[in-house]
Amino acid sequence: MKQLFLATLLFALPSHAQSTYSVTMTYDRDGLTVPHWKIMIPEQGDAQYTGKPIKGADPGLVNFHMSASGREKLGWLLGQTNNLQPCETRSKGIANMGQKDVTYWPSGASEVHCSFNYTDNKALGQSTEYLMAIANTLQTGIELDRLHRYDRLGLDAVMHRLVADVKEHRAVEVIAIQPTLQRIVEDEALMDRVRAKAQDLLALAKSETGK
């Protein structure tokens, strides 16, 4: 299983990846467990996430670490967006896919902004999908923390879902929830399969650190 995880998120980066940038994204879509969230990734230091779930406690401001490879991958994608233009599609009748609001500051250049439901800009779409996958990882980590404290039997289903999301790239940057996974691995009172899955994910997080 460990080899499966290690194969999922090891991206080959282009030689001219943009690693010095800042980006902020907010996402709004009614009906989701977290209908509004925001991610802020500065040029240096830890990134930040805020997002209040419909149920459960508000985690407040969550600081998290991004891997160097993930930061470079996202920077390269943003660098291919032509300063986020074109932004919203001109096609009519597109279903609500969630409102994405992106502000991007390339190093040494002016900030650019884009707000859209759906875009025909492939690199922009891939950039926001990556940010959404980071948010999914963080939201799942917050849920795991809550279940570890209040409903340990519920960890099994959520951990199973996280494994599937990582495999399908719906969750990326597992390093962002490394402390949560470490606490689960170290808790000998939990089910063995929960700890085993957490250990495999923790191995992936540590591999991201070295990339």
Side-chain angles (χ1 to χ4, degrees):
M1 183 179 291
K2 184 180 295 184
Q3 290 180 342
L4 173 64
F5 284 127
L6 294 179
T8 56
L9 293 181
L10 301 183
F11 298 100
L13 291 173
S15 58
H16 300 291
Q18 171 70 32
S19 59
T20 53
Y21 64 93
S22 297
V23 63
T24 298
M25 174 178 167
T26 61
Y27 182 78
D28 291 273
R29 186 174 180 180
D30 292 338
L32 299 182
T33 303
V34 184
H36 171 83
W37 54 259
K38 181 178 183 179
I39 281 180
M40 298 170 285
I41 300 175
E43 280 196 26
Q44 298 180 347
D46 285 346
Q48 296 179 334
Y49 165 87
T50 55
K52 185 175 182 179
I54 293 176
K55 295 182 180 180
D58 183 349
L61 181 64
V62 177
N63 293 299
F64 68 94
H65 184 68
M66 279 190 70
S67 67
S69 60
R71 187 181 288 269
E72 288 181 6
K73 176 183 174 66
L74 179 59
W76 182 82
L77 287 171
L78 288 165
Q80 304 304 302
T81 64
N82 189 38
N83 289 328
L84 310 186
Q85 297 299 320
C87 184
E88 180 70 73
T89 183
R90 294 184 178 181
S91 300
K92 304 299 183 182
I94 302 295
N96 179 19
M97 303 179 71
Q99 193 66 23
K100 280 78 70 176
D101 193 274
V102 182
T103 303
Y104 169 49
W105 298 272
S107 181
S110 301
E111 71 175 57
V112 289
H113 176 261
C114 172
S115 183
F116 67 95
N117 171 54
Y118 179 80
T119 183
D120 296 313
N121 185 330
K122 183 178 179 180
L124 177 57
Q126 290 175 330
S127 300
T128 54
E129 285 173 3
Y130 197 80
L131 288 163
M132 290 165 67
I134 295 175
N136 183 31
T137 300
L138 291 162
Q139 290 164 8
T140 304
I142 292 167
E143 187 176 4
L144 288 171
D145 278 331
R146 181 184 67 81
L147 292 171
H148 191 188
R149 184 174 181 180
Y150 298 112
D151 180 15
R152 294 187 166 199
L153 291 178
L155 286 170
D156 193 27
V158 176
M159 189 65 73
H160 182 78
R161 186 186 76 210
L162 178 57
V163 168
D165 284 349
V166 168
K167 182 178 179 181
E168 298 299 325
H169 308 303
R170 294 186 297 267
V172 299
E173 289 297 300
V174 180
I175 189 175
I177 60 169
Q178 183 172 348
T180 294
L181 296 171
Q182 187 68 52
R183 286 191 291 270
I184 291 173
V185 168
E186 293 173 352
D187 189 346
E188 296 181 356
L190 297 177
M191 287 186 289
D192 288 343
R193 65 172 175 257
V194 168
R195 296 176 65 211
K197 289 173 183 175
Q199 181 62 65
D200 285 334
L201 288 167
L202 188 60
L204 172 60
K206 290 179 178 178
S207 77
E208 290 176 341
T209 305
K211 296 295 179 180

